[in-house]
Amino acid sequence: MSRNPLNPEEVLAEARRRMPETLELLASLVETNSHAENAEGVAACLSLLEPRLRALGLETQVLEIPMPEPREAGSAPFRRHLLACSPEPERGRPTVLMSFHLDTVFPKEHGFQKLVERSAERWRGPGVSDMKGGIVTGLLTLELFKGLGALGLAHWRFLLNTDEELGSPTGMAALRKAAEGVDLALCFEAARPCGGLVVARKGLGAGRFIATGKSGHAGIAHDTGVNAFTSMARAVVAAEALEARFPGLTVSPGGKVAVGPVALNMIPDHAECELEWRFTELAVGEAVLEELGRIAERVGAEAGAPVRFEGSLEAPPMAESARTKAVLEAYVGAARDLGMNIQGVATAGVGDMNHVSRMGALCLDGVGPEGGGFHTENEYLVVDSLARRAAMNVVGLSRYLGEGERA
Ligand SMILES: [Zn+2]
C-alpha cells in the first residue's frame, strides 16, 4: 500500500481521466449479447475482459461447470465462468472477492440489444447497469489501485459468473470455489436508490402444502366428500400467522396453486399451494420449516383431508455482523469525501452473496454504479457514477483494509 493516505479528489480525477476507455469497453460489452444460453456471446464478452484482467497482473482461469442433471434438451453440457486471481497469496494479505455476473436477462432474439441512449449523463442498453456497468466499475477500481501502486493491498479474486440471471445453476459452484477462504466479498450489482449499499439480505425458504381429500358431487355427496381445498386453505392461513411469532419473518403463499377436479359442483380431492418465507436469522428459517410441517399435520387431522408439507431452505440470510459496521463506515466516509451521501440498507431480496456470507466472508453488496430499470428495456446507467463509484471503492477499501492491517 502507498505510504500516504489517498486523496479522494485525486482518485476521482484519475477515474474520470480513464472514462473514455472505460466507456468504450462498456459499449462493446453492452452491444455483445451475453444471455447465459448464448455461449458464443458469453465467450466474446469474456475475450474482451480477459486481457484487461491479465494486464493487471491477475492470473485467469476458466471454470467449466457441468450443467445439473436432468439437462434440458438442447442445452449445453457445461457453462464457462472466468476467475482472475492475484498470483500466489502473500501471508497477511486479506483476500477480497469481487463478484460479478456477465449474463443479462435478454436472450439473443430479444429486441433490446443495443445502446439506445448514449448521452453524457445517461446510457440506456441491455445490462448497462445490471451488471456490465458493475464489471467495468470493478475493473476500473483495480486499474486505479494499480496506478497508485496499491494493488498489493489485497489478494484479489475477480469472478465473472455467466448464469446468475438463471439462478446460477452452474455459477453457484464457481462462486463457491471463488469464495473459499475469502475475508471480504464485494458484489458489484448496481447501487440501491440514493446510492445505498446492501449490508444484509434475508434468507429464503420455499415449499408447498399438498392436501388430499375425497371427491364427490358437491350436492349429493356433500356428507361423504372431504374437501382438500378447505384443508389446504386452513394450512395457508395458519402459515401466514407465523409472521406474528417471529420478528422479521414474511410468509407469502401463492405461486403455483392447483385444485382438482375443477368443476364447481365437485368436491376437490386435491389441492396444493406453493409458499415462500423470508427471514433474517437462519434459526428462524429452520424453525419455520419445522412449524410448516407441524401445521400440515395438525390442520390435516382437524379438517379431515390430510395435508403434507414439502419444502426446504433455499438461501441462508446474508447477515450483518460487527465487522459490517467497520467496512460500511469506511465506504460511507469515502463516499462523503467524494461528495456522495450514502448509507447501508437491508433488503429482503436474495442474491449470490447470501451463500458467500454463509461461507464466512464479510459481504457488501450494491457497490456498483447507479442505475435503474433493471430487467426492462428502460435499463439505464448514470454515466458519471462509474467514476464516482470506482473512486468510492478505491478509497473505501484502502481505508478499511489499511486499518485492518494496522489492527
Ligand atoms: Zn444483476
Side-chain angles (χ1 to χ4, degrees), residues 155-325:
H155 178 76
W156 304 100
R157 291 189 199 163
F158 193 106
L159 176 73
L160 290 157
N161 174 354
T162 60
D163 63 10
E164 193 265 358
E165 297 288 10
L166 301 182
S168 300
T170 67
M172 190 51 66
L175 182 66
R176 284 188 197 283
K177 182 179 162 71
E180 233 167 75
V182 158
D183 299 292
L184 172 65
L186 302 168
C187 183
F188 279 73
E189 287 285 11
R192 297 281 114 178
C194 303
L197 305 177
V198 178
V199 294
R201 290 179 177 278
K202 281 189 178 180
L204 175 70
R208 57 189 180 143
F209 285 119
I210 305 157
T212 310
K214 191 167 168 234
S215 192
H217 189 276
I220 302 160
H222 191 266
D223 291 349
T224 51
V226 182
N227 196 315
F229 179 78
T230 309
S231 284
M232 181 208 73
R234 286 193 195 187
V236 165
V237 171
E240 241 183 0
L242 291 173
E243 286 182 355
R245 275 178 52 193
F246 300 98
L249 173 71
T250 59
V251 178
S252 304
K256 241 183 259 154
V257 180
V259 183
V262 288
L264 183 59
N265 64 355
M266 297 290 288
I267 293 166
D269 62 358
H270 177 83
E272 58 182 86
C273 177
E274 288 184 332
L275 84 164
E276 61 130 83
W277 67 102
R278 291 173 193 248
F279 45 89
T280 47
E281 283 167 49
L282 187 61
V284 169
E286 287 167 345
V288 169
L289 178 60
E290 273 179 36
E291 280 300 323
L292 291 168
R294 267 185 229 131
I295 285 171
E297 228 172 88
R298 192 186 72 232
V299 167
E302 282 167 11
V307 182
R308 67 176 200 279
F309 181 76
E310 291 174 354
S312 58
L313 296 190
E314 306 283 302
M318 173 182 134
E320 226 177 314
S321 74
R323 293 184 303 156
T324 312
K325 200 167 164 259

Side-chain angles (χ1 to χ4, degrees), residues 29-48:
L29 289 172
V30 169
E31 300 208 332
T32 305
N33 178 282
S34 60
H35 187 274
E37 308 280 16
N38 177 8
E40 282 141 57
V42 167
C45 282
L46 289 179
S47 66
L48 289 169

Side-chain angles (χ1 to χ4, degrees), residues 187-201 318 328 331-332 335 340-347 364-371 374 385 388-389 392-393:
C187 183
F188 279 73
E189 287 285 11
R192 297 281 114 178
C194 303
L197 305 177
V198 178
V199 294
R201 290 179 177 278
M318 173 182 134
L328 182 65
Y331 265 76
V332 168
M340 293 180 280
N341 184 13
I342 62 163
Q343 47 183 302
V345 294
T347 169
L364 194 59
D365 206 338
V367 301
E370 295 156 19
F374 314 128
S385 72
R388 285 188 282 108
R389 302 284 284 191
M392 173 192 76
N393 277 287

Side-chain angles (χ1 to χ4, degrees), residues 15 26 119 122-123 134 153 194 222 230 232 296 353 379 385 397:
L26 179 59
S119 71
R122 219 172 92 122
W123 279 20
L153 186 62
C194 303
H222 191 266
T230 309
M232 181 208 73
M353 288 301 107
E379 181 177 352
S385 72
L397 277 175

